[in-house]
Amino acid sequence: MGSRRRWSWGVTATAVVLAAGCSPGSDSGAAVTVAGENGVSAQPTPTATATPTVSAATSPAPPPKDGTAVLVRCADMEDPYATVEIRNPNAHEAVLEVKVHFVDAYGSPLLDTSNQVVVAAKDELAYRVPAKFQYTDRIAHCEVEPVVRAVR
């Protein structure tokens, strides 16, 4: 549609333009005449031209770093929970997997646990790991894996 068209039907001009195969925002170059307070004036239709967007290649966020864990207290008959202090070195919240092993007096494993714990950014958290009741009378000591794997 290289030719310019002028319409003089006031407010209905938009409907005529649409019926003529043009749409608001098309790049037809058509002008629409609109009746205003001070008479009739020609106004070009807005044109929407597609502008290519260039996005910089962004590298994916680095994977979260593993945290650390320290055993604070082992489980026993009075309190069947081991307490572990977990530290998150990341600048964002992370899910860290803490592993605690409950061991008897002979060094044999009674129970191995693995728990995923959400820890706030650059924070530490005291986490209580439950021991199963049937083992609490036989737990001699607890072992915590010092490196807690960052799950996400």
Side-chain angles (χ1 to χ4, degrees), residues 122-143:
K122 302 281 186 183
D123 200 7
E124 60 186 46
L125 173 74
Y127 183 73
R128 292 172 47 88
V129 180
K132 292 189 177 178
F133 182 72
Q134 69 260 31
Y135 297 115
T136 54
D137 63 337
R138 299 189 322 209
I139 295 173
H141 69 276
C142 301
E143 299 170 358

Side-chain angles (χ1 to χ4, degrees), residues 1-85:
M1 292 193 167
S3 65
R4 296 178 68 92
R5 294 182 184 163
R6 291 183 96 54
W7 302 93
S8 59
W9 295 298
V11 177
T12 60
T14 302
V16 172
V17 170
L18 292 175
C22 300
S23 62
S26 67
D27 194 20
S28 66
V32 177
T33 304
V34 179
E37 272 184 42
N38 300 328
V40 177
S41 63
Q43 296 178 354
T45 57
T47 58
T49 55
T51 54
T53 56
V54 179
S55 60
T58 57
S59 59
K65 298 175 190 169
D66 291 340
T68 58
V70 176
L71 180 67
V72 175
R73 184 184 175 289
C74 190
D76 58 25
M77 285 295 292
E78 292 177 27
D79 185 13
Y81 292 86
T83 303
V84 179
E85 185 176 274

Side-chain angles (χ1 to χ4, degrees), residues 16 60 64 75 84 97 100 106 112 116 120 131 134 143 146 150:
V16 172
V84 179
E97 184 176 33
V100 177
Y106 302 104
D112 294 325
Q116 292 185 358
Q134 69 260 31
E143 299 170 358

